[in-house]
Amino acid sequence: MAVFEIFAQPELRRYKTHACSKAVVFQIFVILLTYIPPLLVAYRSRGFWRKTDNYREQIQGRFEHQMLLVLDTGVNGEYVTWSTYQNYNQMQQAHLRVPLIKSREVDVNGDGNRDLLEMNVEVPLKDTEKVYGVKLMLFFFVHLSTYSQIDIKSMGLINYDASRPGAELRYIGDLKFKQKEPVMVRGTDRRYDGAILSNSIHAEAYDFYRIIRDYQKRNLTANLENAYPLWVTGRAAGQPFVINATINYVDSIVEYHPGLWQLLKWAWIQYLAIMIIFWWVFRRIKLVVFENKLVNTVVERPWNDKKHPF
């Protein structure tokens, strides 16, 4: 009749010795080699401590209903302009043209966050005036909230120049969050919650280059990217110049400093993956040393209460 194994139980042997012995020294040496080298290997192989991490989040954008518009109407520096800043308009009386502006922010997917801004700007012009370029600054408020709370005032710049006079500029672009440094995983960051452009009485405050230069110095911004401008020619007599813009509030990659528990979780996985290999190797070494009596110990067997010294 065939015999089958239906149950197995390991045999437990206990190896004992006094404190001052070669076996104790060997055991300490093995413990050190089992647990310390994996830590060094994991640390030196890079990525042990995750200094930064990232995630995706759709920015919560809001148009501030503030803008600065300049239309180039000639090759000799002629232009018309308008802004939402009263002091600027007073300084530009000779070039001022008040446009008709329509804008709305749309929640496409119904999640409670605005997904895009649709804007229509109609600038009245004389029949003799021709538009060769557009500079339009739009100002937004951007909020991020997945980890840390981030509030920033941001700017979107639409800048287009053409060789032929135009009747309309159609523009589609994405407003994306940008950063030069990681944000914190907790807390609130309102360092850049101040106005980018104030209602100053000084003309140099409205210089496009100066505004862009100061804005670019910020560590946290939001910029227009993935832009598709379309220049339409053939403006009829008596018709305004039209700007049709669609700005999408899209997902952005946010880089942050991980918290303590995330650091420990990531480091522990790497350490354990390497340490288990060292543990298995030195476990086999200890079996060879103790079973072959390479160091003096007292063995306790489960089937015999007597101790047999070797």
Side-chain angles (χ1 to χ4, degrees):
M1 179 181 295
V3 179
F4 301 94
E5 179 181 313
I6 60 173
F7 179 72
Q9 184 176 3
E11 172 190 334
L12 177 64
R13 293 186 181 184
R14 300 180 184 273
Y15 296 84
K16 297 184 178 181
T17 186
H18 53 81
C20 297
S21 65
K22 293 181 180 180
V24 171
V25 174
F26 171 75
Q27 179 71 354
I28 294 174
F29 182 72
V30 168
I31 291 174
L32 293 177
L33 291 180
T34 301
Y35 297 102
I36 295 180
L39 180 63
L40 299 177
V41 172
Y43 181 79
R44 295 292 297 177
S45 61
R46 300 184 181 274
F48 185 68
W49 297 114
R50 300 200 70 169
K51 296 182 180 180
T52 61
D53 205 345
N54 60 74
Y55 64 94
R56 295 181 65 91
E57 178 180 358
Q58 180 186 2
I59 63 173
Q60 300 177 36
R62 185 181 73 238
F63 180 47
E64 295 275 84
H65 299 285
Q66 294 178 340
M67 55 185 290
L68 176 59
L69 171 65
V70 175
L71 300 182
D72 297 324
T73 57
V75 295
N76 296 319
E78 297 90 348
Y79 67 94
V80 296
T81 185
W82 181 83
S83 78
T84 54
Y85 303 94
Q86 183 179 0
N87 290 332
Y88 175 81
N89 293 339
Q90 290 177 354
M91 289 184 287
Q92 298 289 338
Q93 286 294 329
H95 305 278
L96 193 64
R97 301 294 171 82
V98 180
L100 174 64
I101 302 174
K102 301 176 183 178
S103 66
R104 66 168 186 157
E105 290 177 302
V106 183
D107 180 9
V108 177
N109 53 17
D111 62 352
N113 294 328
R114 303 173 179 91
D115 295 305
L116 58 90
L117 166 70
E118 294 179 343
M119 171 175 284
N120 179 271
V121 181
E122 298 181 1
V123 185
L125 295 174
K126 299 177 182 178
D127 291 342
T128 57
E129 293 175 327
K130 299 179 180 181
V131 178
Y132 291 92
V134 176
K135 295 182 180 66
L136 175 60
M137 279 187 177
L138 302 174
F139 299 95
F140 300 87
F141 174 79
V142 171
H143 177 71
L144 299 171
S145 59
T146 297
Y147 286 167
S148 58
Q149 303 291 319
I150 303 173
D151 296 331
I152 61 173
K153 295 291 180 65
S154 62
M155 176 191 70
L157 175 63
I158 299 176
N159 184 23
Y160 189 84
D161 295 307
S163 59
R164 299 176 59 189
E168 181 181 356
L169 174 63
R170 299 171 183 173
Y171 181 93
I172 300 175
D174 297 335
L175 185 67
K176 297 190 69 173
F177 174 73
K178 293 294 180 181
Q179 57 188 134
K180 295 180 181 179
E181 64 180 18
V183 299
M184 302 304 297
V185 70
R186 295 286 184 269
T188 302
D189 192 335
R190 292 195 176 98
R191 289 175 295 167
Y192 305 107
D193 195 21
I196 299 172
L197 180 59
S198 60
N199 192 23
S200 176
I201 60 175
H202 303 288
E204 60 269 16
Y206 302 97
D207 179 67
F208 272 73
Y209 174 77
R210 180 173 180 174
I211 297 172
I212 296 171
R213 180 195 62 190
D214 295 340
Y215 182 69
Q216 196 272 341
K217 292 179 181 178
R218 296 187 172 198
N219 292 323
L220 304 178
T221 59
N223 303 322
L224 289 179
E225 292 187 353
N226 198 27
Y228 293 91
L230 177 63
W231 188 253
V232 180
T233 60
R235 183 171 66 90
Q239 294 299 312
F241 181 81
V242 180
I243 302 174
N244 274 309
T246 300
I247 309 298
N248 301 297
Y249 305 148
V250 298
D251 288 355
S252 300
I253 302 297
V254 183
E255 190 174 24
Y256 67 95
H257 290 294
L260 176 62
W261 294 113
Q262 184 176 351
L263 286 175
L264 293 178
K265 179 181 69 174
W266 181 257
W268 171 252
I269 293 174
Q270 296 180 82
Y271 174 72
L272 183 62
I274 300 174
M275 186 270 290
I276 197 169
I277 299 175
F278 280 73
W279 177 86
W280 183 86
V281 170
F282 284 103
R283 174 71 177 177
R284 308 304 297 181
I285 293 175
K286 286 197 296 183
L287 287 175
V288 172
V289 171
F290 288 115
E291 287 183 351
N292 291 279
K293 298 172 284 184
L294 300 180
V295 292
N296 293 329
T297 58
V298 176
V299 182
E300 291 184 356
R301 294 186 177 89
W303 65 83
N304 190 348
D305 292 337
K306 294 182 181 181
K307 299 177 182 179
H308 301 273
F310 289 93

